């Protein structure tokens, strides 16, 4: 079997490492992959959004199955294009990926089908948005409609900041077309939980829960990033909350997408907040999270490739999705200055004996050496019987890895540990 994985981050590295456990897979191609992924797959220099080239490559190599991991190719219709030439895929078609691609769509879906989420208004012109903000409750949350590299959400603590955010999105086009329409929503409070799930459009099987750490600095200070570390499971996701989420959020979402003629297959990511009124949806993603995947997949005991095929074939109900009772921790090592400006090209040293525990995100091979090439450079991942051991283990790995201008948070998992497991 020849498999192709679209994307080139730490998440894709985690997917590829897990797929390699399946003995029917002979070769894995990563498009474009990265310098670290090159140890585990054949990297092909085709960008993740270059759909025409992806399809040509897949046809010429007779690829048997494709895993489309990042949001933008999914929203742009990469799965549709590959299906058209007869290549089965893991991931939703564009008409279902819209659940992440448009916040206006997802908010309206939740309202129509009674799925718990923050109260909101949609605005298509700036003057009405500014007028609404004169009396809106503060703090408030302003969201660009479309994909914005995780930066399209602004939490405004004052009316002035809220207006500035609206002007930057709608007049100054800070996020281009993504900010032409915006959502202004109620500010919710409570711990956040990420739940990735497998679905074939009929059955939904949640993966082990996880907790992201989005801010760049310790104690949740500094700028929002793609994620500086994760732990799994998330102690706030109790069995009672899990049952409530299945009944009020997960199944209703799958059914709502079917009712809209937009059957979702692949990985549906529920970004949840456990508010005093119960769990509510903060966002949907149409894909695996990064760096959630780096803690979730190492705990998966069942065969990932079989599960992926089951989401494509509609046989997920009969397919085992089993997770270990262990905990996992991922500490992201980034380049100083991320998420704004950072230098690249520093040599990365990873001792061979720990390389299996390292998921490489932003690295290239130059003159035979692995060098930094991105903001988030790699994730050090440890699984262990307890969360405390997993955290200690992950930081133990970090101590053995080095590259110029490295920085990482020192408190990944601290909140989860305090909360209980
Ligand atoms: P998103 O890109 O939608 O995940 O939003 C980024 C982050 O903003 C989330 O992880 C939350 O921490 C925060 N956020 C988004 N929406 C809300 C909300 N309605 N109330 C409070 N915080 C929010
Ligand atoms: N870690 C959050 C995301 O992948 O969107």
């Amino acid at each position: 079997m020849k498999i192709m994985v679209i994307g080139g981050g730490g998440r894709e590295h985690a997917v590829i490492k897990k797929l390699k456990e399946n003995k029917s897979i002979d070769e894995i191609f990563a498009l474009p992959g990265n310098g670290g992924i090159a140890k585990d797959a054949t990297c092909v220099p085709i960008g993740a959004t270059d759909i025409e080239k992806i399809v040509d490559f897949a046809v010429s190599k007779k690829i048997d199955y494709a895993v489309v991991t990042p949001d933008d190719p999914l929203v742009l219709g990469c799965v549709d294009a590959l299906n058209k030439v007869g290549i089965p895929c893991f991931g939703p078609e564009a008409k279902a990926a819209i659940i992440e691609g448009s916040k206006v769509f997802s908010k309206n879906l939740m309202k129509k089908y009674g799925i718990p989420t923050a109260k909101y208004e949609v605005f298509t012109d700036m003057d009405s948005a500014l007028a609404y903000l004169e009396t809106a409750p503060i703090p408030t949350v302003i969201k660009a409609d479309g994909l914005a590299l995780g930066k399209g959400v602004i939490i405004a603590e004052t009316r002035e900041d809220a207006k500035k955010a609206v002007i930057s999105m709608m007049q100054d086009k800070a996020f281009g077309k993504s900010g032409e329409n915006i959502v202004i929503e109620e500010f919710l409070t409570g711990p956040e939980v990420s739940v990735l799930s497998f679905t074939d459009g009929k059955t939904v099987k949640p993966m082990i829960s996880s907790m992201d750490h989005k801010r760049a600095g310790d104690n949740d200070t500094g700028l929002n990033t793609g994620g500086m570390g994760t732990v799994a499971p998330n102690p706030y996701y109790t069995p009672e909350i899990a049952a409530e989420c299945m009944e009020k959020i997960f199944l209703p979402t799958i059914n709502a997408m079917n009712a809209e003629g937009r059957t979702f297959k692949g990985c549906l990511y529920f970004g949840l907040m456990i508010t005093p009124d119960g769990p509510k949806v903060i966002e949907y993603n149409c894909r695996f999270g990064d760096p959630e995947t780096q803690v979730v997949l190492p705990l998966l005991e069942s065969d990932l490739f079989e599960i992926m095929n089951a989401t494509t074939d509609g046989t997920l109900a009969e397919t085992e999705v089993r997770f270990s009772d262990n905990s996992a921790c991922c500490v992201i090592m980034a380049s100083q200055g991320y998420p704004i400006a950072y230098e690249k090209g520093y040599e990365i040293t990873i001792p061979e004996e720990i390389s299996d525990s390292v998921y490489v995100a932003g690295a290239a091979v130059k003159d035979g050496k692995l060098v930094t090439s991105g903001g988030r450079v790699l994730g050090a991942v440890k699984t262990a019987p307890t969360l405390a051991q997993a955290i200690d283990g992950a930081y133990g790995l970090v101590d053995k890895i080095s590259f110029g201008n490295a920085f990482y948070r020192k408190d990944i998992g601290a909140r989860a540990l305090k909360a209980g497991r």
Side-chain angles (χ1 to χ4, degrees):
M1 283 269 217
K2 284 189 203 165
I3 311 295
M4 170 174 93
V5 175
I6 309 301
R11 163 185 60 194
E12 285 75 10
H13 201 181
V15 167
I16 288 166
K17 280 186 195 246
K18 197 75 199 171
L19 284 173
K20 281 179 73 179
E21 293 174 9
N22 183 296
K23 297 296 167 237
S24 69
I25 297 177
D26 303 305
E27 192 165 14
I28 303 181
F29 296 93
L31 283 63
N34 67 46
I37 289 177
K39 271 188 80 166
D40 292 293
T42 307
C43 293
V44 182
I46 294 178
T49 53
D50 201 339
I51 293 178
E52 236 171 83
K53 283 198 183 137
I54 291 171
V55 172
D56 288 347
F57 174 82
V59 170
S60 71
K61 283 284 177 201
K62 300 196 166 57
I63 295 292
D64 296 295
Y65 191 84
V67 179
V68 185
T69 335
D71 48 3
D72 28 8
L74 289 165
V75 170
L76 289 169
C78 191
V79 167
D80 311 55
L82 288 165
N83 285 344
K84 219 175 184 174
V85 295
I87 296 169
C89 296
F90 179 78
E93 294 173 337
K95 67 178 181 204
I98 192 175
I99 198 165
E100 174 170 3
S102 166
K103 294 218 190 277
V104 172
F105 171 84
S106 65
K107 294 298 292 189
N108 289 343
L109 183 87
M110 287 186 270
K111 186 190 254 179
K112 183 170 171 187
Y113 293 92
I115 297 164
T117 188
K119 293 195 190 77
Y120 71 101
E121 300 284 338
V122 173
F123 294 96
T124 54
D125 80 277
M126 191 172 73
D127 290 341
S128 332
L130 293 175
Y132 171 79
L133 283 176
E134 291 296 341
T135 54
I138 296 293
T140 190
V141 184
I142 323 279
K143 298 187 171 184
D145 177 35
L147 297 179
L149 296 170
K151 294 183 189 137
V153 174
I154 292 172
I155 297 179
E157 306 279 353
T158 65
R159 225 168 273 292
E160 258 337 283
D161 284 351
K163 287 182 186 167
K164 270 190 212 151
V166 166
I167 291 168
S168 88
M169 284 184 199
M170 299 189 92
Q171 180 176 293
D172 305 340
K173 307 259 184 265
F175 305 111
K177 281 181 88 64
S178 286
E180 272 177 6
N181 298 328
I182 61 164
V183 170
I184 301 184
E185 71 177 31
E186 176 196 11
F187 175 73
L188 298 176
T189 55
E192 287 183 58
V193 179
S194 305
V195 180
L196 284 56
S197 69
F198 292 110
T199 178
D200 59 1
K202 296 178 286 191
T203 302
V204 56
K205 295 204 171 173
M207 299 180 222
I208 195 164
S209 62
S210 54
M211 183 191 284
D212 196 3
H213 297 67
K214 285 205 163 94
R215 307 287 284 271
D218 286 353
N219 301 314
D220 295 325
T221 54
L223 294 171
N224 252 321
T225 71
M228 293 299 295
T230 35
V231 292
N234 185 320
Y236 293 100
Y237 193 68
T238 61
E240 295 71 33
I241 298 274
E244 191 177 350
C245 287
M246 181 54 91
E247 183 201 338
K248 295 186 179 156
I249 296 175
F250 303 163
L251 286 172
T253 301
I254 298 301
N255 294 338
M257 291 298 275
N258 286 334
E260 295 292 313
R262 296 176 184 273
T263 296
F264 190 103
K265 293 180 172 198
C267 174
L268 183 53
Y269 167 135
F270 299 91
L272 306 170
M273 195 172 268
I274 315 301
T275 76
D277 299 328
K280 295 191 179 179
V281 177
I282 289 282
E283 62 161 348
Y284 293 113
N285 289 327
C286 64
R287 52 170 175 86
F288 282 110
D290 189 345
E292 285 89 342
T293 307
Q294 290 90 313
V295 285
V296 168
L297 290 187
L299 295 173
L300 178 65
E301 291 179 337
S302 313
D303 188 285
L304 177 62
F305 188 48
E306 276 177 21
I307 299 170
M308 287 182 160
N309 275 298
T311 68
T312 315
D313 299 344
T315 52
L316 190 61
E318 303 96 76
T319 305
E320 183 187 61
V321 177
R322 191 183 70 245
F323 283 86
S324 130
D325 289 332
N326 284 350
S327 295
C329 175
C330 169
V331 178
I332 296 291
M333 295 180 77
S335 303
Q336 197 66 250
Y338 172 74
I340 300 179
Y342 45 84
E343 293 172 11
K344 304 176 190 177
Y346 291 102
E347 186 176 350
I348 306 170
T349 310
I350 305 171
E352 187 51 39
E353 70 272 15
I354 64 164
S355 72
D356 276 354
S357 309
V358 178
Y359 296 75
V360 177
V365 176
K366 204 174 159 202
D367 304 327
K369 290 177 180 155
L370 194 63
V371 299
T372 62
S373 71
R376 289 192 292 181
V377 174
L378 57 85
V381 178
K382 192 76 181 174
T383 63
T386 68
L387 180 57
Q389 289 165 338
I391 295 168
D392 274 358
Y395 279 105
L397 297 170
V398 167
D399 287 341
K400 295 186 176 137
I401 299 168
S402 61
F403 56 86
N405 275 10
F407 94 96
Y408 56 90
R409 274 180 65 162
K410 311 284 190 300
D411 64 342
I412 301 303
R415 187 169 179 210
L417 208 52
K418 241 191 233 159
R421 185 181 141 137

